Amino acid sequence: MRSENTPFRGGPLDGRVLPILLGPTGHPPKWYEVPVPAHDGRPPTLYTYRREPAGYSKRLGLQRGWVYQYAPEGRERRELRWPWSRPSAPAAPPSKDAEPNG
């Protein structure tokens, strides 16, 4: 498998360059997670990094590679959207007419 030396920005791995395995498309994974075991009975820590473009060339605007940016909020969770699913409507507040008389 191929790997690419990818720099890290921010967080505990700031300034380091690590070899990251590439996927079948030739890109590194969108998220890189670093689990850190805890001592003294504390829960383990998980540092997350999001893949972002490293920059673009001036003349042709070609991408120069990837960089991992520290994401302190953690990994983004998103819902799967299937083409046959209806869009989810926001919850409407109950109307005044729906209240029971009593």
Side-chain angles (χ1 to χ4, degrees), residues 23-38:
T25 60
H27 298 295
K30 290 184 181 180
W31 291 91
Y32 189 78
E33 298 177 340
V34 182
V36 178

Side-chain angles (χ1 to χ4, degrees), residues 53-68:
Y56 298 93
S57 64
K58 289 183 180 181
R59 189 166 197 174
L60 296 176
L62 300 175
Q63 187 176 331
R64 292 188 174 178
W66 299 101
V67 65
Y68 278 110

Side-chain angles (χ1 to χ4, degrees), residues 41-90:
R42 291 180 291 163
T45 306
L46 185 67
Y47 297 119
T48 54
Y49 288 86
R50 179 180 29 251
R51 182 187 72 186
E52 294 181 355
Y56 298 93
S57 64
K58 289 183 180 181
R59 189 166 197 174
L60 296 176
L62 300 175
Q63 187 176 331
R64 292 188 174 178
W66 299 101
V67 65
Y68 278 110
Q69 185 70 32
Y70 180 61
E73 67 277 357
R75 196 171 193 174
E76 296 172 357
R77 301 292 178 205
R78 61 184 188 98
E79 295 181 21
L80 291 177
R81 294 183 176 234
W82 301 102
W84 55 84
S85 300
R86 283 190 241 153
S88 59

Side-chain angles (χ1 to χ4, degrees), residues 7-27:
F8 286 78
R9 292 185 186 156
L13 296 179
D14 189 25
R16 295 190 188 199
V17 178
L18 299 176
I20 305 294
L21 291 176
L22 304 178
T25 60
H27 298 295

